[in-house]
Amino acid sequence: MRIDDLDAARCRPGLAAAQLADLAALGLDWDGPVVRQSERAALYDAAIARLDAAGLLYPCYCTRAEIRQAASAPHGPLAEGAYPGTCRDLGAAQRAARERAGRPPALRLRAGMAPVTFTDRQLGEQRGVVDDLVVRRNDGAAAYNLAVVVDDIEQDIAEIVRGADLLETTARQLHVRALLAGPPVAHAHVPLVLGPDGARLAKRHGAVTLADRARAGQSALQVRAELAASVGLAAAGEEPALDELLARFDPAALPREATVMSA
Ligand SMILES: [Zn+2]
């Protein structure tokens, strides 16, 4: 169990504890103590130092607006949100000028639009190219794409199962993993749960948390049964025990399309 809480602005106190309590109420448990990214800066620093020692990092002074503007300029195809390479080859004088202007730099990886292919267990053959991603944010914190790879390697994660909305980050993470000499890892990207309007199920759709559902008279185990039914593991209205759900679980039978739920 790992809490990805590097983004201090988004991680309100008590949020992680509430999420762990929700998982426990659903009957889910986990191995070993809970690992928190906010307590692992030394690990990320060591990985960043390795990449830097290999000459793979450079400071980037761009604002988000500048990156958007440069990426939309008509000089070559760039994926949505990809970094256009503005700071990759700055000279010492140009860097000094930006430092004097007081902009704290982020650190980016020289990935050079490296091609990455992998076979996703659910989605099949996937291809991506890797732009110069950020490994240290300009507020000093390790970037998400760096931290999750360091943790996945350190925690011996052999199979990554996650939402299809993260598919676009996988090529970047596989590239970082290779640079850090991580062992091979398998991926399965599963479809999201959507609200009735087709957008990712969220607060604005209504009663989406266990607490909301409890106020509406639904127990955690009824919610679990509803979730199980939504992926074909239970009949409507049936409340299978956890070991029964485990016995029925077959990744190959998971839906390939998003599930639409009414909140
Ligand atoms: Zn830049």
Side-chain angles (χ1 to χ4, degrees):
M1 174 59 68
R2 189 173 83 218
I3 307 286
D4 290 0
D5 57 354
L6 279 181
D7 197 341
R10 287 179 52 196
C11 298
R12 303 191 308 276
L15 190 59
Q19 289 174 332
L20 293 175
D22 280 356
L23 290 176
L26 290 169
L28 301 179
D29 57 13
W30 47 88
D31 302 324
V34 174
V35 168
R36 292 168 204 280
Q37 288 193 327
S38 56
E39 297 169 354
R40 290 159 74 83
L43 271 176
Y44 311 137
D45 288 349
I48 291 170
R50 275 175 68 188
L51 297 172
D52 198 26
L56 290 170
L57 304 186
Y58 62 88
C60 167
Y61 303 87
C62 298
T63 63
R64 276 174 208 271
E66 285 167 344
I67 291 171
R68 256 199 317 277
Q69 206 170 14
S72 63
H75 50 50
L78 275 176
E80 174 88 17
Y83 181 65
T86 318
C87 299
R88 188 185 298 135
D89 300 310
L90 292 180
Q94 291 168 301
R95 277 186 193 156
R98 283 162 177 77
E99 295 282 350
R100 275 196 303 276
R103 277 195 199 174
L107 280 179
R108 286 188 183 273
L109 177 72
R110 288 181 197 280
M113 305 310 273
V116 169
T117 60
F118 63 98
T119 303
D120 186 90
R121 189 165 176 164
Q122 303 300 113
L123 303 176
E125 182 96 328
Q126 302 290 315
R127 293 168 185 282
V129 290
V130 184
D131 68 336
D132 287 1
L133 58 122
V134 171
V135 295
R136 190 187 291 289
R137 306 186 322 212
N138 68 5
D139 65 0
Y144 168 76
N145 282 315
L146 183 281
V148 292
V149 172
V150 169
D151 286 331
D152 288 346
I153 295 171
E154 200 269 338
Q155 294 184 285
D156 290 326
I157 306 297
E159 184 171 39
I160 296 170
V161 180
R162 57 184 189 176
D165 56 327
L166 291 172
L167 184 64
E168 63 178 332
T169 66
T170 308
R172 286 170 162 179
Q173 290 168 16
L174 281 170
H175 186 72
V176 173
R177 189 178 183 92
L179 293 174
L180 294 175
V185 67
H187 283 89
H189 288 87
V190 296
L192 299 185
V193 178
L194 307 179
D197 59 353
R200 184 211 307 245
L201 193 67
K203 273 277 185 198
R204 65 192 162 77
H205 289 116
V208 297
T209 67
L210 280 186
D212 295 336
R213 295 285 187 159
R215 276 191 289 276
Q218 194 179 27
S219 74
L221 294 189
Q222 285 169 324
V223 172
R224 186 176 80 192
E226 196 178 331
L227 292 171
S230 79
V231 292
L233 288 176
E238 184 193 12
E239 289 184 35
L242 209 53
D243 53 356
E244 177 59 28
L245 285 174
L246 257 183
R248 294 180 192 178
F249 181 68
D250 173 12
L254 286 175
R256 305 294 162 107
E257 303 292 328
T259 302
V260 177
M261 292 190 94
S262 49

